[in-house]
């Protein structure tokens, strides 16, 4: 039985976007490189860069590709429900200590985006390629911070954490496969999923990410946010 046209590309792009999860964790493992600088300005800059890329994913792919398929009421309900759902999960994680909050937050935007990636490939390569690029860029800082959060609460063998991160990267091709085979024929459902993710991403940026960015007399973190968004914008211009 032959593979449907485009499915191989969906699996490849989903896998490549997920590869930056273990890569970000591996970079975070090198904490002996100027640890004070790593914990201060560099860590905050990584957080800000991730926020910029997340904003680019929302503004350039998720919202533009989903809004035309839904009514204004459906758009409002989807984004509102996504933000509320992420808020409830965030509060639940905070009350339990929040050790896994960064990791779960990464998966909560990575999985629906990967499903959207698979479905978008059937409509044209441009938006799908841009989304794959943005996913890879956002997974890098998110996995970096997830690794740091896990190790800060309880030191674990680095190879075990990286093995888990590598396994999580496989969720990218799996979600892309599901999106390619099943969500393509349901544009309204796909659009709702992308807007749910958008609402959740916007909540996470302003609740969990942005408050960690400010540092007195340091200017790299806000520039990191601008750089992250600019890369997404340039990618959109280049593909378009």
């Amino acid at each position: 039985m032959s593979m449907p046209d485009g499915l191989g590309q969906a699996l490849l792009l989903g896998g490549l976007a997920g590869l930056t999860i273990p890569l970000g964790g591996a970079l975070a493992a090198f904490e002996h490189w100027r640890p004070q600088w790593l914990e201060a300005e560099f860590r905050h800059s990584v957080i800000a860069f991730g926020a910029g890329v997340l904003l680019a994913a929302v503004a350039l792919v998720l919202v533009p590709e989903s809004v035309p398929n839904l009514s204004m009421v459906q758009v409002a309900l989807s984004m509102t429900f996504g933000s509320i759902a992420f808020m409830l999960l965030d509060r639940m994680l905070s009350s339990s200590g929040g050790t896994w909050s960064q990791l779960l937050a990464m998966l909560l935007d990575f999985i629906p985006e990967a499903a959207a990636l698979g479905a978008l490939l059937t409509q044209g390569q441009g938006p799908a390629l841009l989304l794959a690029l943005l996913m890879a860029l956002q997974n890098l800082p998110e996995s970096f911070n997830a690794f740091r959060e896990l190790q800060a609460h309880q030191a674990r063998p680095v190879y075990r954490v990286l093995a888990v991160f590598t396994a999580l990267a496989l969720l990218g091709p799996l979600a892309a496969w599901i999106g390619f085979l099943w969500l393509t024929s349901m544009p309204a459902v796909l659009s709702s999923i992308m807007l749910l993710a958008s609402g959740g991403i916007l909540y996470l940026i302003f609740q969990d990410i942005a408050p960690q960015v400010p540092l007195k007399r340091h200017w790299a973190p806000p520039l990191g946010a601008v750089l992250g968004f600019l890369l997404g914008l340039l990618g959109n211009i280049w593909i378009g």
Side-chain angles (χ1 to χ4, degrees), residues 76-93 104-105 108 192-193 195-204 207-208:
L77 288 176
S78 296
M79 292 200 70
T80 301
F81 183 79
S83 61
I84 292 175
F86 275 57
M87 178 197 69
L88 294 175
L89 181 60
D90 185 51
R91 292 186 63 178
M92 182 183 69
L93 292 171
L104 289 178
L108 285 172
S192 296
I193 290 174
L195 287 179
L196 286 170
S198 297
I201 288 170
L202 292 175
Y203 168 82
L204 290 174
Q207 174 64 19
D208 294 331

Side-chain angles (χ1 to χ4, degrees), residues 113-174:
E113 286 176 347
L117 168 65
L120 286 174
L121 268 174
T122 64
Q123 304 173 20
Q125 290 188 347
L129 290 172
L130 176 59
L131 182 57
L133 173 64
L134 294 174
M135 288 166 58
L137 289 174
Q138 75 191 41
N139 283 336
L140 186 66
E142 286 183 322
S143 60
F144 180 95
N145 290 308
F147 182 95
R148 300 289 292 161
E149 181 187 54
L150 288 171
Q151 295 300 79
H153 283 79
Q154 178 184 347
R156 299 169 173 84
V158 171
Y159 73 92
R160 290 185 181 178
V161 179
L162 294 182
V164 171
F165 279 26
T166 302
L168 292 176
L170 299 177
L171 294 175
L174 176 61

Side-chain angles (χ1 to χ4, degrees), residues 44-60:
H44 285 68
S45 300
V46 168
I47 293 172
F49 178 81
V53 175
L54 285 169
L55 279 174
V58 170
L60 302 175

